[in-house]
Amino acid sequence: MSFRIMGTGSYLPPLSVTNDDIAKYVDTNDEWISTRTGIRSRHVATDETASEMGAKAALEALKDAGIQADELDLILCATVSGEYIVPSMACLIQRAIGAHCPAFDMSSACSAFLVMMETAAAYLATGRYRRILLVGTEQMSRVLDWTDRSTCILFGDGAGAVVLEPGENYLGSHMVFMGGEEVLNLPTNVGNSPYWTLERPRDTVNMNGGETYKFATRTVPQEILALLEQTGTQQSEIDWVVCHQANQRIIDAVARRLKGIAPEKFLSNIADHGNTTAATIPLLLDECNKKGMFKRGDLMVVAAFGGGLSCIASLIRW
Ligand code: ACO
């Protein structure tokens, strides 16, 4: 037994920051950012935290699923930019929405939403839980160096959520994990220990853009092709591809490698949202769902990559 998606929700903070806005304080311009990344604007939180945005997305997903918070059996949450490490974002969301079930966070950077889906599928298969809420929420603006033009232009804030119940619609996954911090990292604070002898790391996102780009354009098509082979699925059967929204050029490069899937099936909202890390996939799923784009029975590939390094592709029937 796997899962069925009962409902989706999302939330974006109201302030939209354009490339021209960012060009006022770092040496960049709209032309560079939009041609290199496809990003034109991103939402940025001014007075809301990751858990607060996550709770708003969660309430919308519950409403869409037609269930109450106290009917949930488990809440999983993913973030790299939560306002606390302790307590977990999942626990704060649990309280904010009025749930009473177990709640904990899962860490896998931009791949985390698919890691949570994999985990939820395993829990549902045991029969231990029947209704699971997954939330990806990010306040990336608090973990960026806003003087670093190579990273601050890429990310945005927002949250997305889905509610799952037992079903037959999670058809498989294929993944690769390659441990290492060299290409992409976000250090935690080391505090002020008088015994610490090494350098204090910069506690903002550090990224080798070129290496990340190469990793993504190599592994995303590779994992999708392996997934299709594993599940006996033809590219022509795929109705939608929901890729992690990190760079439109990465999505376009993946589409070029998968010639059997028409380019218009590769969904995108990066132009207005930037990269919302663990939130990109549930945000995109919710926006397309609310536009009525998905029909019951549609077959979709959902693929993510990120720090770890990691890359996961999953096959889902809507
Ligand atoms: N505006 C203007 N110029 C810039 C900017 C900017 N915002 N940023 C960098 N540049 C300059 C660089 O300084 C460099 O100048 P130089 O040649 O004089 O040294 C030049 O532009 C080219 O820089 P590159 O880094 O080579 O540019 P590239 O074409 O590789 O694009 C980018 C950079 C957009 C970051 C690209 O590498 C990329 O998208 N990589 C993948 C990023 C990604 O997927 N991140 C996801 C992280 S995982 C997760 O989601 C957490």
Side-chain angles (χ1 to χ4, degrees):
M1 191 188 289
S2 63
F3 62 66
R4 185 185 86 81
I5 296 178
M6 296 177 75
T8 63
S10 62
Y11 178 79
L12 290 163
L15 178 68
S16 174
V17 174
T18 65
N19 294 341
D20 286 335
D21 292 332
I22 294 185
K24 288 178 195 147
Y25 50 86
V26 288
D27 180 16
T28 189
N29 57 74
D30 177 57
E31 203 263 335
W32 194 97
I33 300 171
S34 55
T35 54
R36 290 283 214 300
T37 70
I39 299 167
R40 296 191 174 277
S41 60
R42 71 288 291 144
H43 290 257
V44 177
T46 54
D47 57 1
E48 292 170 294
T49 60
S51 76
E52 289 166 343
M53 292 188 281
K56 288 179 181 170
L59 286 171
E60 222 196 272
L62 288 173
K63 190 171 162 208
D64 192 42
I67 65 164
Q68 303 295 319
D70 58 13
E71 294 177 71
L72 288 170
D73 298 314
L74 178 66
I75 299 171
L76 302 178
C77 180
T79 188
V80 302
S81 54
E83 65 268 35
Y84 298 112
I85 293 175
V86 180
S88 69
M89 293 295 101
C91 281
L92 292 181
I93 291 168
Q94 182 233 35
R95 181 177 67 176
I97 66 175
H100 302 97
C101 58
F104 56 90
D105 287 357
M106 302 200 74
S107 170
S108 194
C110 302
S111 301
F113 203 79
L114 294 188
V115 169
M116 292 197 296
M117 278 194 167
E118 180 84 1
T119 307
Y123 271 126
L124 291 168
T126 67
R128 182 174 174 87
Y129 300 120
R130 291 193 56 79
R131 299 263 165 81
I132 302 183
L133 170 70
L134 309 185
V135 185
T137 184
E138 300 288 4
Q139 189 189 346
M140 292 304 293
S141 56
R142 75 193 295 278
V143 294
L144 295 172
D145 175 356
W146 285 87
T147 65
D148 174 9
R149 67 179 182 173
S150 66
T151 51
C152 76
I153 55 142
L154 294 174
F155 295 92
D157 298 341
V162 304
V163 181
L164 305 177
E165 68 175 357
E168 303 298 333
N169 295 6
Y170 186 61
L171 306 177
S173 61
H174 209 279
M175 58 191 83
V176 59
F177 283 73
M178 296 164 48
E181 79 285 22
E182 300 81 4
V183 175
L184 189 51
N185 68 60
L186 173 53
T188 50
N189 199 321
V190 295
N192 60 358
S193 165
Y195 303 104
W196 182 249
T197 56
L198 304 181
E199 201 183 330
R200 191 174 181 277
R202 187 176 93 126
D203 55 0
T204 49
V205 171
N206 302 295
M207 182 182 70
N208 179 329
E211 287 304 315
T212 309
Y213 190 93
K214 276 190 252 168
F215 173 78
T217 52
R218 187 181 80 250
T219 58
V220 175
Q222 170 190 301
E223 293 309 299
I224 293 176
L225 289 170
L227 170 73
L228 296 182
E229 191 180 337
Q230 173 185 281
T231 55
T233 309
Q234 301 301 313
Q235 292 188 34
S236 56
E237 294 176 67
I238 301 301
D239 295 299
W240 305 108
V241 182
V242 180
C243 262
H244 173 50
Q245 305 286 298
N247 184 326
Q248 186 61 43
R249 280 168 58 214
I250 294 176
I251 299 168
D252 294 344
V254 173
R256 282 195 298 276
R257 290 278 310 279
L258 300 168
K259 294 192 190 320
I261 306 177
E264 62 272 17
K265 295 184 174 179
F266 288 74
L267 300 172
S268 175
N269 61 6
I270 191 167
D272 308 320
H273 297 3
N275 179 351
T276 56
T277 306
T280 69
I281 285 176
L283 249 168
L284 184 55
L285 281 175
D286 182 56
E287 289 185 353
C288 296
N289 183 27
K290 298 288 162 60
K291 284 181 195 155
M293 291 168 66
F294 301 149
K295 296 190 302 296
R296 190 141 304 288
D298 278 0
L299 196 57
M300 56 176 76
V301 167
V302 188
F305 66 90
L309 295 169
S310 65
C311 177
I312 307 182
S314 304
L315 190 65
I316 291 172
R317 197 171 286 288
W318 191 252

